[in-house]
Amino acid sequence: MYVCLCKNVTDHRIRGAVEDGARSWREVQQATGCGTQCGKCAGIGKDITREAIRDELRASAEGLAYAV
């Protein structure tokens, strides 16, 4: 789904930026340009970013093993 029409940014591109290491809305903006022109997409862009970061952190935590 297109999130930012001004910069042609999709939700997949936002998630990809997070997978590549972005851990904040500002870092996603720098990587994608989302929300840097008219700003109408910033709300949904932030929501997708938060969700993607949460998913990425959850996935990395699932890979941890604890000694008993």
Side-chain angles (χ1 to χ4, degrees), residues 15-49:
R15 292 176 192 283
V18 171
E19 288 175 9
D20 290 341
R23 291 294 180 264
S24 70
W25 170 238
R26 185 173 303 246
E27 290 175 357
V28 168
Q29 282 184 303
Q30 291 171 345
T32 65
C34 186
T36 61
Q37 193 161 341
C38 78
K40 291 181 181 180
C41 61
I44 189 70
K46 287 178 187 179
D47 290 343
I48 293 169
T49 299

